[in-house]
Amino acid sequence: MKNITIYLLVAFLPLGLFGQYQITGEVVLPSGLPICEVLVELQDASGEVLAQDISEMDGTFELSDVPEGTNYTLLFTKEGAAIGGTSTFDLVLISRYILGINPAPPYYNWIADVNGSGTVTTLDMLIIRKVILHIDPAFPVPTWAFDEPTAQSPDNQIGLPTVNAELDLQVVGVKRGDINGTIQVDCN
């Protein structure tokens, strides 16, 4: 029995020398409601997927046994039709913001910039109109956009320069084209 214990100790000793951490977080709408079924992937600098999870009904995700390292990236993906939550009322709201009649709500550029130009223009309205009329099935950019709450524009990824401790992240997601926030995220 003594020999087996020593062999097991020697076999598993190298695992204890390298840090293994946990990255947890919550994916929410700007309103604070959770977004479920978001694929969260952790990639290293070469693009290899080290860990992945799908956000739960309460929007939480957990990536376990993440090795200590640098230049990691968290990627976020959610499937969904471009038309979901998007209506002609969203076009009215965008035109009112463009004309300066109403102030832009939080995350307005994230939601209304459906062509990925970095600005909201009448071209975005035209693209949304084509989706509403079923001329085009999708936007030129992903239907869902995710990033840290302080990001200027979402790119569906969060860079992690160094992982050497447990991380707990807050991630905001928006459904593009849905200015008035009527999307119903069904987690059942």
Side-chain angles (χ1 to χ4, degrees):
M1 183 68 174
K2 195 173 196 180
N3 289 342
I4 294 173
T5 305
I6 292 171
Y7 291 130
L8 286 175
L9 181 61
V10 171
F12 290 106
L13 184 61
L15 294 177
L17 296 177
F18 301 103
Q20 297 288 310
Y21 300 102
Q22 187 173 45
I23 299 173
T24 58
E26 183 179 24
V27 185
V28 297
L29 292 166
S31 65
L33 293 174
I35 305 175
C36 60
E37 298 177 359
V38 177
L39 175 62
V40 182
E41 290 184 321
L42 177 69
Q43 292 185 356
D44 64 12
S46 67
E48 181 182 343
V49 176
L50 302 176
Q52 66 180 14
D53 192 20
I54 295 178
S55 63
E56 303 292 332
M57 291 178 60
D58 61 358
T60 59
F61 65 90
E62 179 180 306
L63 304 173
S64 299
D65 300 325
V66 175
E68 183 173 341
T70 59
N71 297 322
Y72 288 156
T73 303
L74 278 176
L75 300 173
F76 301 88
T77 310
K78 180 167 176 62
E79 299 296 320
I83 192 68
T86 306
S87 68
T88 54
F89 185 58
D90 294 304
L91 292 173
V92 171
L93 292 175
I94 292 173
S95 65
R96 293 180 65 87
Y97 301 135
I98 290 174
L99 295 172
I101 296 170
N102 290 2
Y107 303 103
Y108 166 73
N109 285 343
W110 288 27
I111 302 167
D113 181 19
V114 296
N115 68 350
S117 68
T119 60
V120 179
T121 66
T122 53
L123 180 57
D124 295 297
M125 293 176 63
L126 177 63
I127 293 169
I128 292 171
R129 182 174 290 126
K130 285 182 173 183
V131 167
I132 292 170
L133 295 173
H134 299 282
I135 295 170
D136 288 337
F139 300 130
V141 295
T143 302
W144 284 87
F146 301 94
D147 215 320
E148 297 172 284
T150 57
Q152 292 300 312
S153 63
D155 58 3
N156 290 358
Q157 60 184 14
I158 296 175
L160 303 173
T162 303
V163 173
N164 58 9
E166 305 286 315
L167 294 175
D168 188 30
L169 303 170
Q170 184 75 15
V171 180
V172 173
V174 296
K175 165 41 190 73
R176 297 208 197 240
D178 181 22
I179 305 299
N180 61 350
T182 58
I183 187 71
Q184 298 294 315
V185 181
D186 184 16
C187 297
N188 295 326

